[in-house]
Amino acid sequence: MDRHELSRLFKDFLPGEAVIDHPVSLKAYECDGLSAYKQQPLLVVLPQTITQVQACVSLCSEYQIPIVSRGAGTSLSGGALPHAQGIVLSLAKMNRILDIDEYNRTATVEPGVRNLAISQAVEHLGLYYAPDPSSQIACSIGGNVAENAGGVHCLKYGLTVHNILELKVVTIDGELITIGSKALANPGYDLLALMVGSEGMLGIIVEVTVKLLPQPETAKVLMGVFDSVEQAGDAVAAIIADGIIPAGIEMMDNPAIRAAEDFVHANYPVDAQAILLCELDGTEQEVSVLCQRVKSILNQRGANETRLAKNEAERALFWSGRKAAFPAVGRISPDYYCIDGTIPRKTLGPVLNEINRLSEQYQLRVANVFHAGDGNLHPLILYDSSIPGQLEQTEELGSKILQLCIEVGGTVTGEHGVGVEKLGEMCIQFNEEERNQFHRLREAFDPDKLLNPGKAIPTLARCAEHNAMHVHKGEVPFPELDRF
Amino acid sequence: MDNNAERSLVEQVLKSISDKRAINIVGGDSKSFYGRTPCGNVLDVSKHAGVVNYEPSELVITARAGTHINEIEKLLAENQQMLGFEPAFCNQYSTLGGVIAAGLSGPRTASSGAVRDFILGVKIINGYGQVLRFGGQVMKNVAGFDHSRLMVGSLGTLGVLLEVSMRVMPIPETEMTVSFEHEDANNAIEFFNKLAAKPWPLSASAWLQGQSKIRLSGTENGVVETIKNIGGEQDDNADQFWIDLKNHDLQQFKQTDFIQRVSMPSAAELSTNPAEQVIEWNGGQRWYFDQDDVKQFQSQVELGNASLTQFRGGDRNAEVFSKLDPVSMRLHQNIKNAFDPDRILNPGRMYKDL
Ligand SMILES: Cc1cc2nc3c(=O)[nH]c(=O)nc-3n(C[C@H](O)[C@H](O)[C@H](O)COP(=O)(O)OP(=O)(O)OC[C@H]3O[C@@H](n4cnc5c(N)ncnc54)[C@H](O)[C@@H]3O)c2cc1C
């Protein structure tokens, strides 16, 4: 169907301004946070009610038009990349907070509500919504659910999947279902867990009920300064082995420290090979004891220096460098590419050494920020897309790093999702029977495969192509690495 | 002794597929009371046992499904760690696979999470007789649909669990329990939910027979300070109480063979106050022993705000879990079909039509 005909069909039930069909206006939607991939959709529609979403989906179902849901478009994996023959269904206008249930400690919101807006709306009650992706001022709760977003506090407080109670979802047939409830145990299969992280492929999320937690009485941050990333990694293991679960524990390597320091002037030690930021929260009494214990562990594990943020302002300053790590790297390089592998923490040293070796081999600089508590590594590859061939080189290096993550027993994506970006690596992480199980599950929800087609789970053909390109028979990747 | 029975299990599943005969998956047989009446040939998973990998500093354990849960808990305890969801309804024979498939969590659920919150990866045999791995041994993993969590509570209807990876938790430095008198259960529910909104280290709550109990876990000074704030009478024999509560070994549970569970938003008030009831999870999980006592929840169940489980006893050939709406039921059937098109694996154990 052509653009104008389809546009007319949508305008039958949507106000004119809720249907975007002009190529100039469509430009704003041609990519998400992974701007290396661009595609114009046929149309963008911006429904404002659940009934309108149902009507949009029914129409697409009838005419077999692909649907790409979109929240704030901050995905780093191309999850919200449009489909050339499809529509983008933007949930951005559904951005009202519907209910705050103080007694059950829940908030019910529309999918377009920004992550941070939830915590702001309940702050006066002493409550907050725990998952805090660095993009939290911009990203939507619907997108968080679709990607199972994490943040710096997920070691202690969990990912999106641990903090969502109920969803309202529009199925591909245009039907509205409720998944989960405000109760902690629900009958039937755990469809809630299935929806979380499903990258817009199982249904359209139109309402979200989240858990709210009491704001901790106090939070303190310690910085540990190290001569090597291995030492810093050992210190993390030692803290956890001591029975402490920090609210957050983050590591940055030297290139990341320098970039962040240049940008926010957090007084980071620019000669250090690694810094650890360890946040402890809880009651005053608890935190004071834990700070002492962590400080002595950091010292025992060879920290040159430990700093305790003296007050709230200094705590915010310590974090500012970490939170701004991506844009900081963006300032020192025309482009950067963010990788999202997770590894067993004990493999950190060898993995970083191998990343350094690859970085030299490809002549591309890499800065590493690391959710050290849960093993989620974000190497940022610095490149310049205006140099012909450099994006391809970068992608190849990124793919090597992800294969390394699989090799050491990890995964290709900890929190950013597969999207269009990691389809090739999915062929390595999962065998054909496993991928087919994913496809059958998807068809259980969407037999015609209209929801976000081409994302997350690679087809057989795609993997055949990938394997022909990348895998040489009988050859073990990274033979120089110990097997863990 | 070789405790790897994977090949034999796969062969048995394949044989059942070709014979078109149902399988009744059994671990330690400690939860045969739960769900609808089992049918089919027994597939004994208990021989497939052993811890495959455990690194305390990674906070992850991987074990075969037939491993006894108390063996896992013992190993963890030797390293000052534990299963954060406090596996419920277990005896010495209970296996890891059964704990995951039944998905029943203990008193810590409202503060630390349920079984599903701790699972990281699974290896299963699906209804095609294929061995598949999903998830992994790392804490954060969003590659592919979350089939690991899907297995939790699916009562073996989607796959035979072979291996499970779970996140573990450190054993708190100190645990203390304090008791309060609350004649009316509604007062207890209000009290629990007010406490839960405070930044204090609560790890369990329960009300029965006019008495509320609150457990606190954390550093010693944090726990002691909290008790100064909330008061109550210190209960020095509470450890056994929490174990008996999660395994239904308290008198209230033992004197009957008919038990119903109500699961609802924790702060929801009771309209009538049955003489016999046990409340936990700040009010999120409530137990009843008489058909009449749960009538007050019927309208909430119909609205989908609460669910009712015929937990133990009664007619187990009828449906025992709350009815799903037609669209959800259709999705459930499609999912069953995606894993087990011949309906070989525990058919009818959860719902008649699954
Ligand atoms: C600077 C920066 C920092 C970041 N930091 C983090 C971080 O710390 N942790 C982290 O996890 N992520 C991070 N991200 C990634 C991104 O912000 C998250 O993935 C976020 O959850 C995406 O939300 P969104 O609303 O922008 O979704 P979009 O980008 O619009 O969409 C993401 C996916 O969700 C689907 N989707 C969106 N809304 C719906 C809906 N209502 N129903 C069904 N499907 C839907 C889309 O189809 C797409 O597949 C970061 C991104 C940036 C740019």
Side-chain angles (χ1 to χ4, degrees):
Chain A
M1 181 170 323
D2 87 352
R3 177 168 290 160
H4 294 289
E5 209 176 322
L6 191 62
S7 175
R8 199 177 40 75
L9 289 174
F10 276 105
K11 282 176 183 161
D12 275 348
F13 58 89
L14 288 178
E17 71 275 7
V19 181
I20 299 175
D21 53 9
H22 194 283
V24 175
S25 319
L26 285 174
K27 250 192 134 24
Y29 294 88
E30 66 185 13
C31 68
D32 57 23
L34 181 67
S35 55
Y37 294 82
K38 289 197 165 73
Q39 174 64 57
Q40 279 221 344
L42 274 184
L43 291 180
V44 175
V45 296
L46 297 113
Q48 248 182 317
T49 65
I50 292 179
T51 317
Q52 287 177 352
V53 173
Q54 288 177 285
C56 292
V57 174
S58 297
L59 185 97
C60 290
S61 210
E62 184 182 345
Y63 291 95
Q64 296 281 294
I65 311 276
I67 303 170
V68 178
S69 301
R70 180 181 170 108
T74 66
S75 163
L76 292 173
S77 57
L81 179 74
H83 188 285
Q85 278 83 49
I87 64 155
V88 166
L89 183 83
S90 166
L91 285 308
K93 280 198 182 165
M94 292 178 68
N95 59 359
R96 289 174 307 157
I97 292 179
L98 300 173
D99 182 47
I100 292 167
D101 179 347
E102 181 181 354
Y103 299 108
N104 285 299
R105 300 168 307 284
T106 66
T108 299
V109 305
E110 291 185 330
V113 168
R114 289 171 306 109
N115 172 298
L116 188 60
I118 301 176
S119 291
Q120 286 168 340
V122 298
E123 199 180 351
H124 64 286
L125 301 172
L127 301 171
Y128 76 116
Y129 173 64
D132 58 344
S134 310
S135 51
Q136 71 181 148
I137 44 170
C139 62
S140 74
I141 189 71
N144 289 173
V145 173
E147 300 282 20
N148 193 12
V152 296
H153 290 104
C154 41
L155 178 66
K156 183 163 177 185
Y157 296 106
L159 305 158
T160 304
V161 70
H162 301 107
N163 289 281
I164 296 293
L165 290 167
E166 182 186 292
L167 296 175
K168 284 202 166 60
V169 172
V170 172
T171 67
I172 190 63
D173 301 320
E175 281 168 308
L176 181 68
I177 56 168
T178 302
I179 293 177
S181 72
K182 285 188 189 174
L184 294 173
N186 295 294
Y189 296 145
D190 195 341
L191 300 189
L192 193 65
L194 259 188
M195 287 306 302
V196 177
S198 64
E199 303 197 22
M201 295 172 78
L202 302 182
I204 322 289
I205 298 152
V206 291
E207 197 180 293
V208 184
T209 299
V210 304
K211 258 186 216 173
L212 301 172
L213 299 183
Q215 291 164 9
E217 205 170 276
T218 187
K220 294 245 152 68
V221 183
L222 273 158
M223 185 196 294
V225 180
F226 291 88
D227 281 339
S228 77
V229 288
E230 281 92 346
Q231 273 183 328
D234 288 347
V236 176
I239 291 168
I240 287 167
D242 198 44
I244 301 169
I245 303 290
I249 182 156
E250 297 284 312
M251 187 192 296
M252 296 166 77
D253 73 356
N254 181 271
I257 297 168
R258 283 175 185 269
E261 180 57 24
D262 275 355
F263 185 30
V264 298
H265 310 295
N267 200 15
Y268 283 176
V270 291
D271 295 325
Q273 287 310 302
I275 60 171
L276 279 182
L277 291 173
C278 180
E279 179 159 297
L280 299 155
D281 70 5
T283 59
E284 297 283 355
Q285 296 77 17
E286 191 166 18
V287 171
S288 67
V289 169
L290 293 179
C291 276
Q292 280 308 319
R293 266 163 69 186
V294 169
K295 194 172 154 101
S296 70
I297 293 171
L298 293 174
N299 287 328
Q300 277 161 26
R301 297 287 155 165
N304 290 330
E305 187 192 344
T306 54
R307 299 184 196 164
L308 176 68
K310 284 188 288 296
N311 47 38
E312 227 5 67
E314 197 173 16
R315 182 174 87 95
L317 187 67
F318 278 17
W319 275 120
S320 66
R322 168 61 190 90
K323 292 228 170 187
F326 292 10
V329 165
R331 284 173 76 243
I332 60 169
S333 169
D335 300 286
Y336 70 91
Y337 196 89
C338 176
I339 311 294
D340 174 43
T342 303
I343 56 174
R345 219 180 319 93
K346 65 181 173 190
T347 65
L348 179 66
V351 166
L352 286 183
N353 287 336
E354 181 62 16
I355 291 176
N356 285 339
R357 197 191 63 76
L358 288 166
S359 152
E360 273 166 37
Q361 180 189 330
Y362 281 82
Q363 291 289 299
L364 290 165
R365 287 182 296 162
V366 178
N368 285 291
V369 294
F370 186 43
H371 300 301
D374 42 38
N376 189 198
L377 192 62
H378 290 319
L380 303 168
I381 306 174
L382 281 51
Y383 74 104
D384 183 350
S385 58
S386 68
I387 300 174
Q390 207 165 71
L391 173 62
E392 290 71 22
Q393 282 287 302
T394 300
E395 286 182 323
E396 200 178 305
L397 169 56
S399 180
K400 283 267 163 67
I401 294 174
L402 291 181
Q403 289 174 51
L404 177 63
C405 293
I406 302 174
E407 181 68 18
V408 300
T411 176
V412 297
T413 174
E415 58 179 14
H416 295 166
V418 173
V420 284
E421 185 206 18
K422 304 178 198 77
L423 286 169
E425 291 76 20
M426 285 292 283
C427 306
I428 305 173
Q429 187 162 334
F430 295 98
N431 67 30
E432 189 178 328
E433 289 177 343
E434 290 158 350
R435 281 181 265 118
N436 284 340
Q437 187 63 63
F438 286 142
H439 285 301
R440 284 195 298 273
L441 187 279
R442 172 194 188 189
E443 285 161 32
F445 284 78
D446 175 20
D448 295 331
K449 296 178 265 207
L450 295 174
L451 294 168
N452 218 1
K455 310 283 174 64
I457 316 293
T459 59
L460 198 59
R462 169 79 203 224
C463 287
E465 195 185 317
H466 178 88
N467 291 345
M469 260 165 32
H470 294 280
V471 177
H472 308 286
K473 228 180 165 184
E475 190 182 295
V476 195
F478 307 103
E480 67 282 10
L481 272 185
D482 289 344
R483 291 289 172 277
F484 296 98
Chain B
M1 193 172 77
D2 184 13
N3 292 328
N4 185 347
E6 181 174 320
R7 271 192 45 198
S8 137
L9 290 169
V10 172
E11 275 160 22
Q12 293 175 69
V13 171
L14 287 171
K15 174 109 181 39
S16 298
I17 295 169
S18 67
D19 294 352
K20 299 222 175 297
R21 291 189 63 155
I23 288 176
N24 170 24
I25 309 166
V26 176
D29 209 22
S30 62
K31 293 185 188 66
S32 49
F33 71 87
Y34 188 62
R36 298 180 68 252
T37 307
C39 67
N41 291 350
V42 168
L43 181 76
D44 178 5
V45 186
S46 67
K47 302 286 176 310
H48 188 57
V51 172
V52 178
N53 191 19
Y54 172 43
E55 299 271 347
S57 75
E58 299 279 328
L59 296 175
V60 176
I61 189 165
T62 302
R64 296 196 184 116
T67 315
H68 286 147
I69 202 77
N70 57 10
E71 192 184 316
I72 293 177
E73 294 196 293
K74 187 164 157 274
L75 174 66
L76 293 175
E78 284 163 11
N79 292 280
Q80 280 73 54
Q81 294 185 336
M82 64 178 189
L83 295 172
F85 55 83
E86 285 181 311
F89 311 101
C90 290
N91 60 28
Q92 57 184 324
Y93 305 109
S94 299
T95 61
L96 173 59
V99 164
I100 302 299
L104 297 170
S105 319
R108 216 175 290 268
T109 302
S111 54
S112 308
V115 182
R116 52 98 76 180
D117 294 307
F118 289 88
I119 194 160
L120 300 175
V122 291
K123 184 173 172 190
I124 63 164
I125 310 173
N126 66 5
Y128 293 81
Q130 298 166 333
V131 174
L132 311 174
R133 277 180 189 280
F134 298 107
Q137 303 193 23
V138 288
M139 308 250 173
K140 277 164 94 179
N141 188 352
V142 292
F145 301 123
D146 193 341
H147 282 8
S148 312
R149 286 196 174 80
L150 183 59
M151 293 300 139
V152 178
S154 66
L155 285 172
T157 59
L158 300 177
V160 180
L161 287 162
L162 288 175
E163 219 172 273
V164 178
S165 297
M166 288 170 295
R167 178 185 172 159
V168 300
M169 261 175 69
I171 292 178
E173 184 183 302
T174 306
E175 282 199 333
M176 290 187 194
T177 296
V178 279
S179 302
F180 302 82
E181 302 298 320
H182 286 124
E183 202 49 52
D184 184 339
N186 277 327
N187 292 342
I189 290 169
E190 190 188 336
F191 176 64
F192 293 155
N193 284 284
K194 280 198 171 141
L195 286 185
K198 301 274 188 209
W200 291 334
L202 308 180
S203 68
S205 61
W207 179 89
L208 64 167
Q209 295 187 314
Q211 205 183 44
S212 299
K213 288 185 192 289
I214 299 278
R215 185 176 66 187
L216 300 141
S217 308
T219 59
E220 192 178 348
N221 65 346
V223 167
V224 167
E225 189 64 27
T226 304
I227 291 178
K228 275 191 207 150
N229 278 316
I230 64 175
E233 182 140 352
Q234 205 155 313
D235 182 343
D236 293 327
N237 301 314
D239 289 357
Q240 195 58 42
F241 168 80
W242 297 110
I243 294 172
D244 289 347
L245 174 64
K246 81 178 170 120
N247 291 334
H248 280 188
D249 282 333
L250 295 172
Q251 201 48 41
Q252 285 79 355
F253 297 101
K254 285 171 91 167
Q255 66 199 11
T256 170
D257 47 17
F258 181 74
I259 301 177
Q260 297 183 94
R261 176 173 90 166
V262 175
S263 177
M264 64 195 309
S266 60
E269 263 186 50
L270 295 160
S271 54
T272 61
N273 229 329
E276 288 282 4
Q277 57 178 334
V278 177
I279 296 177
E280 48 177 337
W281 300 2
N282 300 331
Q285 175 158 276
R286 308 177 188 189
W287 302 98
Y288 297 92
F289 311 96
D290 188 314
Q291 198 64 51
D292 288 338
D293 291 344
V294 295
K295 284 198 177 126
Q296 61 170 316
F297 304 110
Q298 212 53 52
S299 62
Q300 289 305 309
V301 169
E302 269 148 37
L303 287 168
N305 297 335
S307 65
L308 179 64
T309 305
Q310 201 89 332
F311 196 79
R312 209 186 269 270
D315 178 4
R316 308 211 73 85
N317 294 317
E319 296 293 12
V320 297
F321 297 106
S322 280
K323 200 166 176 265
L324 300 174
D325 68 79
V327 181
S328 295
M329 188 38 126
R330 203 181 67 226
L331 282 175
H332 274 66
Q333 288 169 326
N334 292 350
I335 293 170
K336 170 74 172 167
N337 203 35
F339 281 86
D340 179 26
D342 298 324
R343 289 181 35 110
I344 298 294
L345 306 172
N346 281 7
R349 185 76 191 263
M350 183 187 263
Y351 288 99
K352 203 178 266 163
D353 295 332
L354 277 190

